[in-house]
Amino acid sequence: MSPSLDTKVSSSSKDEGAGVSPQNKGSWSSFLKSIASFNGDLSSMTAPPFILGTLSLTEFSAYWTQHPSVFVAPASEPDPAKRALLVLKWFLSTLKPSYSTRNDKYGSEKKPLNPFLGELFLGKWEDEAGTTEMVSEQVRYITAYCIQNAKHGIKLEGYNGQKASFSRTIHIKQIGHALLTLTPPTSSSSSSQQPPSSNTSNATDPTPSPAKETYLITLPNIHIEGLIYGRPFVELNGCTYISSSSGYVAKIDYSGKGWVSGKKNSFTASLYPAANPKDVLYTVEGQWPESFTIREGPSVKHGKVIDTFNARGAQVSPLIVPELRQQDPWEANKAWEKVITAITKGDMDTTNAEKSKIENAQRELRRKEQAEGREWERKFFSRKERGEGWWEELAKFCGAGGERIESEKTGGVWRFDEGKAREARRPFHEGLNPC
């Protein structure tokens, strides 16, 4: 356990706010006291403008694919066990951009901008992997996303929301999941291990196809270290799973630096057949913002090294987004333009004013919808009332109690809608602006 986890928030601590500029120390102390006494979901609190980042949560979806060649690699692997290992490698490669990028850029974690309903973020990557396209949409108080590469026949979709609470530090529970779907090379059909259930292989996709393979990916829980000192950074805790319709499961265990031993941002992972968890085929160990090593067999120390990944040194493919003048008012960069400019300049008064304009306009839109008895129109995603049968089949291999879809907490189960996507074009909500 680190000092930030067992130190009560107290303005008398001589180290409190050491990472905060002198002019903001008073606000930082007040903020710490307010979250310590707050009863409810912290994400609903208004944070001091000086700790705001310049990214909206809808933009975080791009962190899944900063290394497109790693993302598409599983689709070319004929062996199902090695294919599952490549999916695990790709997932582990996403942790640094997802949970450490702001710390690297600003020296500490920043609170993202809370997206408004209907907010969009669209982009693509063009590199040796071909074209990888992404759409991210705020569909409720959660963000849904779809990333696909048609050349390699691979698609990632999912959604997630966050519930934050305070107990010695900020704890964030991520709600939702991701689904990776790919079409393996035809040579894999003869070598593929039997799936964990007799009907799994025919029920792994919303439109089931024996040729496709689906991976259910659960999301890690988060807590914020270094909060008392004004230098917050993300630590992952607990474990997550990747459950495949091909019959393999990966388990990732996260740990941090303790009082006596350990390194921050550490993890170990194992890949095994769903039918026999003790038969560990591969293990992975490392620090997710730095590097990790993949070995054969159950030993994280003595198994044969078959691959490594340098998260800090890996080349990042740039995300291509339309220029601001080409963006729709509902696209994140355009919608938050004045807020981002003010944050960058350190103009906290303007930051607060412009942010409030968007928030107040959104409240008015919700009041109008309620009065007219209608619901906001999503442009790329549709809602299901419950999870599909194949989802339940894969979820039961995610821990002792299995993974729950928790649709009651996300307003339903959100899936990418190909029909809507074909019709979606700028202007997305003609005649209507977010503020």
Side-chain angles (χ1 to χ4, degrees):
M1 183 179 292
S2 73
S4 66
L5 288 179
D6 74 341
T7 303
K8 293 181 179 179
V9 174
S10 170
S11 60
S12 63
S13 171
K14 66 178 180 179
D15 294 322
E16 182 182 307
V20 179
S21 60
Q23 65 269 32
N24 290 322
K25 279 192 174 182
S27 296
W28 182 252
S29 294
S30 298
F31 177 61
L32 292 179
K33 291 175 182 177
S34 65
I35 62 176
S37 59
F38 187 79
N39 184 20
D41 181 9
L42 290 179
S43 60
S44 63
M45 286 187 67
T46 300
F50 71 88
I51 69 167
L52 288 177
T54 55
L55 292 179
S56 168
L57 277 173
T58 55
E59 299 177 69
F60 281 35
S61 302
Y63 292 141
W64 284 108
T65 331
Q66 289 204 341
H67 311 293
S69 60
V70 183
F71 171 64
V72 304
S76 301
E77 173 53 58
D79 182 84
K82 293 178 180 178
R83 193 161 56 243
L85 179 63
L86 287 173
V87 171
L88 173 60
K89 177 184 176 181
W90 157 74
F91 173 75
L92 295 172
S93 77
T94 71
L95 297 179
K96 180 187 184 300
S98 295
Y99 302 109
S100 183
T101 297
R102 281 82 56 201
N103 197 285
D104 291 344
K105 183 176 180 179
Y106 302 111
S108 66
E109 186 64 33
K110 294 288 186 179
K111 184 183 185 300
L113 298 168
N114 284 333
F116 50 83
L117 182 60
E119 182 177 314
L120 295 163
F121 185 63
L122 289 75
K124 64 181 179 179
W125 296 264
E126 292 183 341
D127 57 13
E128 66 274 9
T131 299
T132 306
E133 297 180 297
M134 179 202 69
V135 59
S136 180
E137 181 176 13
Q138 193 72 7
V139 294
R140 198 175 170 90
Y141 37 81
I142 62 169
T143 304
Y145 51 85
C146 181
I147 303 170
Q148 49 190 331
N149 184 300
K151 176 183 175 182
H152 293 273
I154 191 167
K155 179 175 78 170
L156 175 76
E157 65 173 299
Y159 59 91
N160 67 282
Q162 298 181 335
K163 293 291 184 181
S165 60
F166 186 86
S167 177
R168 296 182 176 174
T169 191
I170 296 176
H171 297 266
I172 301 169
K173 176 178 171 56
Q174 296 202 88
I175 304 168
H177 59 269
L179 298 169
L180 182 73
T181 305
L182 57 85
T183 304
T186 53
S187 59
S188 68
S189 58
S190 60
S191 61
S192 178
Q193 177 176 325
Q194 286 296 313
S197 166
S198 59
N199 65 356
T200 302
S201 60
N202 291 320
T204 59
D205 193 81
T207 53
S209 168
K212 289 191 176 183
E213 194 169 89
T214 300
Y215 295 78
L216 169 63
I217 302 165
T218 66
L219 307 176
N221 289 326
I222 300 167
H223 65 264
I224 306 298
E225 296 274 14
L227 188 66
I228 193 75
Y229 309 117
R231 297 189 184 95
F233 66 89
V234 165
E235 188 65 272
L236 306 180
N237 56 271
C239 63
T240 59
Y241 293 86
I242 304 175
S243 178
S244 170
S245 60
S246 64
Y248 295 94
V249 176
K251 179 185 179 185
I252 306 101
D253 290 285
Y254 307 95
S255 61
K257 182 176 175 59
W259 279 108
V260 180
S261 63
K263 297 179 180 179
K264 74 175 186 178
N265 304 141
S266 297
F267 75 91
T268 58
S270 57
L271 179 72
Y272 50 85
N276 188 8
K278 293 183 178 180
D279 182 19
V280 176
L281 305 177
Y282 301 101
T283 53
V284 192
E285 182 189 39
Q287 291 174 277
W288 49 264
E290 302 293 337
S291 63
F292 55 83
T293 301
I294 303 174
R295 299 176 186 268
E296 284 185 343
S299 174
V300 296
K301 296 295 184 184
H302 304 297
K304 178 184 176 182
V305 176
I306 60 172
D307 200 1
T308 61
F309 185 80
N310 183 348
R312 191 164 292 282
Q315 184 176 357
V316 173
S317 292
L319 176 66
I320 302 168
V321 297
E323 294 181 10
L324 276 176
R325 60 183 176 82
Q326 298 175 317
Q327 289 188 25
D328 187 85
W330 291 88
E331 293 181 68
N333 293 163
K334 186 72 172 180
W336 293 104
E337 181 181 9
K338 293 180 180 179
V339 175
I340 293 168
T341 299
I343 292 173
T344 303
K345 291 180 177 179
D347 184 347
M348 297 301 102
D349 290 338
T350 302
T351 297
N352 225 9
E354 294 297 335
K355 187 166 168 288
S356 294
K357 285 181 184 178
I358 295 176
E359 293 166 346
N360 292 334
Q362 288 297 305
R363 293 187 189 101
E364 182 57 35
L365 280 174
R366 301 292 83 77
R367 282 193 288 267
K368 185 176 181 182
E369 289 164 4
Q370 187 175 18
E372 296 174 358
R374 59 185 176 87
E375 186 175 342
W376 177 257
E377 178 189 4
R378 283 80 176 178
K379 288 297 179 179
F380 291 90
F381 296 85
S382 291
R383 175 173 51 201
K384 294 174 177 286
E385 293 302 319
R386 55 179 296 174
E388 303 86 349
W390 54 262
W391 193 98
E392 301 292 344
E393 189 67 31
L394 294 179
K396 72 182 183 182
F397 296 100
C398 298
E403 175 76 1
R404 290 187 61 247
I405 203 161
E406 297 185 302
S407 57
E408 72 280 1
K409 296 181 180 179
T410 55
V413 178
W414 298 91
R415 297 288 185 249
F416 184 67
D417 191 317
E418 297 280 359
K420 283 185 176 181
R422 283 192 294 269
E423 298 296 323
R425 56 182 54 86
R426 299 178 181 88
F428 293 110
H429 299 280
E430 192 166 7
L432 187 63
N433 287 332
C435 68

